[in-house]
């Protein structure tokens, strides 16, 4: 059984989230009886921590305001979470590599020996395999500006940018006038940051890639709205016009699918582009390290395909079809296509 002081720190960590915690839940987390957990709560109160009691069937304990937490009250799980988060954050936000590394060293120096050993054992080497579809890291200034507008409920004036960060001119085909939107939520999916916003001009909900926006906050505030879908993740992933563009792969092709855009958008890999054609059809543009790879991803949708481009993709689909048919009969299938000399995509080239 852990010592009283160790349990007190663990209990402080559990209550530090601000959530209401039932006594039974606290006792289970501490590995003690409810009676012992109640004594530990009294120990924290004697030390000056304002642990309040909420009575009733849905009651429990929570830590009130008015007293600072001691620095770095981490348990094992929190130490693991911090170590992993600090090492993976630079892959999604630009320019955080050095700062995250210094923060991890600073935290380790203040941690107890056992937790320091835990974080040191989790030093990661980031590798990229052929089937990852990541996005380039986002500018922290852009993320901070949008995040502040979400938090303070301030209307944004937004302009849509190209994948290279340039702003299309009025004569360009992809030019979009500036929009005034209410920023409601930030969602991260497939390494990309998306803003769920209400467009005040179109009076409809939209999903925007944060790194494809030039956002200027205003002083105009807005109130809460009923969201278009109870599951924000589902709303983002099923929105085909969320601002994605094809990722940079050795092979990129497109096909017409006999499925609605919202369905394909939900399951297409990151870095794909879905074009709405009608209520039952869409066009999917995506890439992979080989034409067989593109054909294989298209096959996962298990639907009719037509109007394939370029010809290499159509040929790969025919080869894959013959190969699958031969697999069912036990006969040898057609020879595979020649693999690229270096099938792995270059690091950080993905602008999807």
């Amino acid at each position: 059984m852990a010592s009283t002081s160790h349990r007190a720190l663990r209990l402080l960590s559990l209550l530090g989230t601000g959530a209401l915690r039932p006594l039974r839940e606290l006792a289970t987390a501490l590995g003690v009886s409810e009676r012992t957990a109640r004594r530990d709560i009294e120990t924290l109160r004697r030390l000056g921590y304002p642990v309040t009691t909420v009575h009733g069937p849905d009651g429990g304990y929570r830590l009130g305001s008015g007293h600072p937490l001691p620095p770095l009250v981490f348990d094992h799980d929190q130490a693991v979470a911090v170590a992993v988060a600090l090492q993976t954050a630079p892959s999604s936000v630009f320019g955080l590599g050095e700062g995250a590394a210094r923060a991890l060293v600073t935290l380790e120096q203040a941690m107890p020996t056992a937790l320091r050993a835990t974080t040191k054992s989790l030093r990661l080497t980031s590798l990229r395999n052929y089937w990852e579809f990541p996005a380039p890291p986002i500018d922290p200034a852009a993320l901070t500006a949008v995040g502040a507008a979400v938090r303070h409920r301030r209307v944004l004036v937004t302009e849509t940018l190209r994948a290279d960060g340039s702003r299309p001119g009025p004569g360009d085909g992809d030019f979009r006038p500036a929009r005034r939107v209410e920023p409601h939520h930030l969602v991260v999916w497939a390494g990309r940051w998306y803003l769920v916003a209400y467009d005040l001009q179109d009076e409809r909900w939209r999903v925007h890639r944060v790194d494809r926006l030039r956002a200027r906050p205003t002083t105009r505030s807005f109130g809460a709205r009923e969201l278009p879908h109870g599951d924000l993740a589902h709303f983002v992933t099923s929105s085909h016009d969320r601002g994605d563009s094809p990722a940079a792969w050795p092979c990129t092709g497109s096909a017409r699918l006999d499925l609605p855009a919202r369905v394909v958008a939900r399951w297409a890999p990151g870095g794909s582009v879905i074009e709405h054609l009608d209520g039952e059809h869409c066009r999917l543009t995506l890439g992979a390290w080989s034409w067989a790879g593109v054909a294989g991803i298209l096959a996962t949708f298990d639907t009719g395909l037509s109007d394939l481009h370029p010809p290499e993709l159509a040929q790969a689909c025919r080869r894959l079809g013959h190969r699958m048919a031969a697999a069912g009969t036990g006969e040898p299938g057609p020879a595979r296509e020649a693999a690229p000399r270096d099938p792995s995509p270059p690091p950080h080239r993905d602008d999807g």
Side-chain angles (χ1 to χ4, degrees):
M1 182 181 295
S3 65
T4 301
S5 58
H6 182 273
R7 287 200 316 272
L9 287 175
R10 169 67 172 155
L11 178 59
L12 192 56
S13 174
L14 293 170
L15 294 172
T17 63
L20 183 66
R21 310 297 289 264
L23 180 62
R24 180 178 301 177
E25 178 183 316
L26 293 173
T28 300
L30 295 172
V32 297
S33 66
E34 293 185 13
R35 180 178 180 182
T36 300
R38 194 176 287 111
R39 285 204 302 265
D40 291 339
I41 290 171
E42 292 304 320
T43 298
L44 290 182
R45 286 170 171 163
R46 287 195 299 272
L47 292 173
Y49 290 99
V51 181
T52 60
T53 303
V54 177
H55 298 284
D58 297 324
Y61 298 88
R62 65 159 54 100
L63 188 63
S65 59
H67 196 294
L69 285 173
L72 297 177
V73 183
F74 287 154
D75 57 28
H76 177 273
D77 292 342
Q78 290 173 317
V80 170
V82 168
V84 172
L86 285 175
Q87 293 178 83
T88 56
S91 65
S92 62
V93 181
F94 179 75
L96 290 189
E98 181 184 354
R102 289 189 290 108
L104 183 58
V105 171
T106 301
L107 288 170
E108 287 177 345
Q109 290 174 345
M111 285 181 177
T113 303
L115 292 185
R116 190 182 310 126
T118 295
T119 59
K120 286 183 177 295
S121 69
L122 288 170
R123 293 299 172 89
L124 306 177
T125 297
S126 179
L127 300 176
R128 182 175 177 180
N129 66 35
Y130 299 152
W131 299 111
E132 289 183 33
F133 300 85
I138 191 173
D139 182 356
L143 185 61
T144 300
V146 174
V150 171
R151 179 177 181 182
H152 298 296
R153 296 188 180 276
R154 294 290 185 267
V155 170
L156 287 173
V157 176
T158 63
E159 297 176 323
T160 303
L161 306 177
R162 294 192 180 99
D164 62 3
S166 63
R167 166 74 169 149
D172 296 329
D174 53 356
F175 172 76
R176 298 291 182 273
R179 317 290 296 183
R180 296 175 70 87
V181 303
E182 296 176 354
H184 284 263
H185 289 277
L186 282 172
V187 176
V188 182
W189 176 60
R192 293 158 176 79
W193 292 81
Y194 295 93
L195 172 66
V196 178
Y198 186 80
D199 191 305
L200 293 172
Q201 284 144 282
D202 287 349
E203 296 186 341
R204 56 166 289 195
W205 288 93
R206 292 185 181 274
V207 177
H208 305 270
R209 279 276 295 272
V210 176
D211 58 330
R212 302 289 167 78
L213 290 181
R214 180 178 295 160
R216 178 173 57 84
T218 69
T219 57
R220 177 180 172 182
S221 60
F222 62 90
R225 291 182 184 269
E226 184 177 354
L227 296 173
H229 195 288
D231 185 344
L232 279 178
H234 183 275
F235 178 64
V236 170
T237 56
S238 61
S239 297
H240 69 277
D241 55 350
R242 53 183 176 244
D244 291 331
S245 61
W249 288 94
C251 302
T252 301
S254 67
R256 181 179 186 270
L257 277 64
D258 296 342
L259 284 174
R262 68 180 184 279
V263 175
V264 174
R266 176 69 179 87
W267 303 109
S272 303
V273 174
I274 301 93
E275 177 188 357
H276 171 82
L277 298 179
D278 57 46
E280 298 299 328
H281 303 87
C282 68
R283 172 165 290 278
L284 173 62
T285 302
L286 74 161
W289 67 272
S290 70
W291 291 115
V294 179
I297 297 174
L298 289 173
T300 63
F301 287 93
D302 192 23
T303 190
L305 305 174
S306 59
D307 194 19
L308 280 73
H309 295 285
E312 291 86 349
L313 175 57
Q315 294 168 6
C317 286
R318 286 194 293 270
R319 279 196 305 271
L320 185 61
H322 294 326
R323 190 171 294 126
M324 294 297 102
T329 63
E331 299 177 0
R336 67 179 178 87
E337 65 178 293
R341 291 182 180 178
D342 180 9
S344 58
H348 308 303
R349 281 189 54 201
D350 181 8
D351 59 358

